Amino acid sequence: MKRNIDKFREKSFSQQVLQKIDELQSGKEIKIMHVCGTHEVTIAKWGLREILPKNIKLICGPGCPVCVTSAQEIDSAVKLSLTNNNILTTFGDILRVPGTSISLAEAASQGANIKVIYCIDEAVSLAKKNPKKQVIHFAIGFETTAPTTAVEILNNSNLDNFSIIPSHRLIPSAMAGLLKSGQCQIDGFICPGHVSTIIGSQPYEFLARDFSRALVIGGFEPNDILLSILMILRQLRKKKTSVEIEYTRLVKPAGNPLAIKKMWQVFEPCHIGWRGIGIIPHSGLKLRLKFKKFDAIKKFNLKIKRAFDVRPGCKCGEIMKGLAEPKDCPYFKKQCKPEFPLGACIVSIEGPCFVAYKYGSI
Amino acid sequence: MCLAIPGKVKKKRKEDAWIDFGGGVVKKVKISLTPQVKRGDYVVVHAGYVIQKMEKEEARETIELFNNLKLNEKKYR
């Protein structure tokens, strides 16, 4: 197994793929967007933009769930965490992201009861061990994480002191939303590896069919990305777009049918705002009527009067849409640094601004 | 964060499994989404859940995919 992973980092293999990329492209500008924060880490860490032909542009899309969770949702989490008798559970990477005014970390320093967890079953255990407390889980993440939330709700349908802030989002809808906006001309997409492990290749097919975009589901090693780019170029050259799987060692065309089934048992699509981007139709997940008691926003009758996603001048929104780069932001590396974040993109370790800060600008 | 390091299933019991990631790191995770995994399988874990079994053979397939791309190259010139 280790030998196979090494192959995906082998320089000689990279050089062969790069040669084929060079042979296959005509010099015309080709824009390829990825929608996975971890793909951005791979690209930056291995310096892939520097070794590709200059006319092939690798663009970072809104694939960082922490970056696209709205300030209103963070404000809701902050408010619930500051309420007596509540315990808010959250994944660690969103802890320091500023809401409209403060982050969850700052709320914790003000006395909020916040517990960082790695798996949603820890939140459920916490609720069972503390029957007099209300445990609310901040359920962020894409299709990789949504089924895990669904499973816990299905397995604990009688648990009355557990609820979630529903913040899951759907990647194929986001990709369609970006294309429909017409703001960024994308020729092809490298689709996220682990979202696709769950959903398979079928949910992307309409993008190949109706929007004529090349799509390849890629893995996380440098040669996975290079191979994915080669496969995209091949589709564009043949003028025959489809959804291909490069990451065959994990992604099956049918994905994980059990996980998909659980997710749709508990959730249904809804319109949701992506931080800095705006509302993208059918790109969020809301709880079905049967499971409404798990919706913390309704349960606690939460109303956030005014929420602001992006401070004036901040380029997080344009960066998430692939229209700007971190270096275009006036705050980047000046007032906005990982230690003192002004926006979301510099907080998450897979946020484009953090990656650019750590590995050098996009 | 998508950690794509496969671990090996050491043991399983009901909805839990213990995954060996090498270097002495063994983690208890949930297999509610992949109840079919067995001892000895390589799996990928996300947010405390096994999301899929990793196929050793498929890793070789990706290499062959590339080799096939090379062979078919001549058709697209």
Side-chain angles (χ1 to χ4, degrees):
Chain A
M1 195 70 221
K2 261 195 179 170
R3 276 212 301 277
N4 286 327
I5 288 289
D6 288 347
K7 187 82 184 179
F8 291 99
R9 294 184 179 187
E10 236 174 51
K11 190 174 162 182
S12 59
F13 192 67
S14 311
Q15 284 167 339
Q16 289 177 68
V17 180
L18 280 165
Q19 196 188 329
K20 289 296 144 197
I21 287 173
D22 213 33
E23 288 168 15
L24 204 54
Q25 52 88 24
S26 61
K28 189 182 120 183
E29 186 178 80
I30 308 252
K31 285 185 174 173
I32 298 173
M33 178 182 267
H34 72 76
V35 275
C36 175
T38 312
H39 277 159
E40 182 58 30
V41 174
T42 301
I43 290 164
K45 181 171 145 181
W46 295 92
L48 298 183
R49 287 189 175 96
E50 283 73 40
I51 58 172
L52 284 164
K54 291 283 164 263
N55 60 304
I56 295 179
K57 305 286 180 203
L58 276 184
I59 296 167
C60 179
C64 162
V66 163
C67 305
V68 299
T69 299
S70 69
Q72 183 177 27
E73 288 158 300
I74 295 174
D75 296 345
S76 302
V78 163
K79 196 166 180 183
L80 286 168
S81 72
L82 284 166
T83 307
N84 260 341
N85 208 46
N86 287 356
I87 304 173
L88 184 97
T89 62
T90 178
F91 298 126
D93 41 3
I94 200 160
L95 206 61
R96 294 176 55 248
V97 177
T100 302
S101 55
I102 63 169
S103 65
L104 285 167
E106 284 161 322
S109 69
Q110 289 176 17
N113 198 346
I114 294 170
K115 185 137 188 358
V116 171
I117 61 172
Y118 297 93
C119 176
I120 189 176
D121 79 331
E122 295 175 63
V124 170
S125 299
L126 206 57
K128 288 175 178 169
K129 285 179 190 156
N130 297 276
K132 295 197 175 119
K133 298 266 185 192
Q134 288 289 333
V135 174
I136 302 125
H137 176 64
F138 194 5
I140 64 166
F142 299 128
E143 291 98 323
T144 334
T145 320
T148 72
T149 308
V151 151
E152 290 304 320
I153 286 174
L154 286 166
N155 288 350
N156 297 282
S157 50
N158 293 327
L159 198 55
D160 290 326
N161 65 328
F162 171 73
S163 56
I164 65 164
I165 299 172
S167 298
H168 292 304
R169 285 161 170 78
L170 301 169
I171 285 286
S173 305
M175 292 159 77
L178 286 177
L179 289 174
K180 283 178 188 168
S181 78
Q183 289 181 314
C184 192
Q185 298 308 313
I186 307 290
D187 300 296
F189 289 93
I190 300 174
C191 301
H194 287 169
V195 163
S196 309
T197 300
I198 298 291
I199 67 174
S201 53
Q202 189 275 331
Y204 302 105
E205 281 168 9
F206 77 104
L207 294 162
R209 185 186 62 236
D210 304 337
F211 292 87
S212 302
R213 264 36 180 218
L215 297 123
V216 174
I217 301 169
F220 297 102
E221 298 301 324
N223 289 336
D224 283 315
I225 300 289
L226 291 176
L227 208 41
S228 300
I229 292 168
L230 178 60
M231 290 163 75
I232 286 170
L233 292 177
R234 183 166 153 260
Q235 285 188 32
L236 294 173
R237 185 70 176 259
K238 282 163 75 181
K239 294 194 167 78
K240 202 172 167 200
T241 53
S242 63
V243 185
E244 291 183 272
I245 303 172
E246 179 277 335
Y247 195 21
T248 51
R249 55 197 190 277
L250 200 65
V251 178
K252 303 177 192 335
N256 180 333
L258 181 63
I260 297 169
K261 181 182 163 189
K262 301 270 181 194
M263 185 174 81
W264 292 123
Q265 259 181 284
V266 173
F267 293 106
E268 57 185 339
C270 64
H271 300 335
I272 200 168
W274 291 55
R275 191 169 191 166
I277 295 174
I279 294 179
I280 304 181
H282 315 294
S283 66
L285 287 176
K286 68 175 182 183
L287 288 159
R288 291 188 184 272
L289 205 57
K290 190 176 165 189
F291 301 102
K292 275 286 181 259
K293 77 171 200 179
F294 289 101
D295 186 339
I297 307 295
K298 295 192 162 39
K299 185 174 180 176
F300 299 101
N301 200 24
L302 207 60
K303 283 174 175 56
I304 301 292
K305 284 193 187 131
R306 242 178 285 166
F308 290 100
D309 273 346
V310 173
R311 66 175 57 224
C314 169
K315 294 274 182 194
C316 273
E318 285 96 325
I319 292 165
M320 284 283 99
K321 287 188 273 193
L323 300 174
E325 297 168 3
K327 65 180 193 299
D328 300 327
C329 181
Y331 300 121
F332 179 61
K333 285 192 189 173
K334 302 187 183 83
Q335 297 96 320
C336 188
K337 294 179 181 181
E339 316 82 86
F340 308 109
L342 293 186
C345 300
I346 205 154
V347 177
S348 170
I349 55 171
E350 54 180 23
C353 295
F354 179 88
V355 174
Y357 190 91
K358 182 172 174 179
Y359 294 107
S361 275
I362 294 177
Chain B
M1 182 89 196
C2 291
L3 283 170
I5 308 157
K8 199 171 176 181
V9 179
K10 276 191 85 168
K11 79 171 186 193
K12 71 182 235 189
R13 189 184 66 207
K14 293 185 190 170
E15 295 218 17
D16 299 326
W18 284 257
I19 312 296
D20 185 351
F21 289 99
V25 177
V26 178
K27 296 230 171 218
K28 182 181 169 195
V29 301
K30 309 280 289 186
I31 54 168
S32 320
L33 300 175
T34 51
Q36 73 280 12
V37 297
K38 303 184 306 292
R39 229 178 117 218
D41 283 346
Y42 282 92
V43 297
V44 166
V45 176
H46 177 88
Y49 278 77
V50 172
I51 55 169
Q52 194 60 281
K53 178 181 151 186
M54 193 171 258
E55 305 289 349
K56 276 190 195 181
E57 288 312 309
E58 261 80 348
R60 255 176 241 133
E61 266 186 35
T62 309
I63 315 294
E64 279 163 20
L65 195 156
F66 171 65
N67 290 330
N68 283 338
L69 283 171
K70 282 207 297 190
L71 285 169
N72 287 332
E73 239 322 284
K74 290 164 194 165
K75 291 183 193 167
Y76 310 128
R77 296 276 173 83

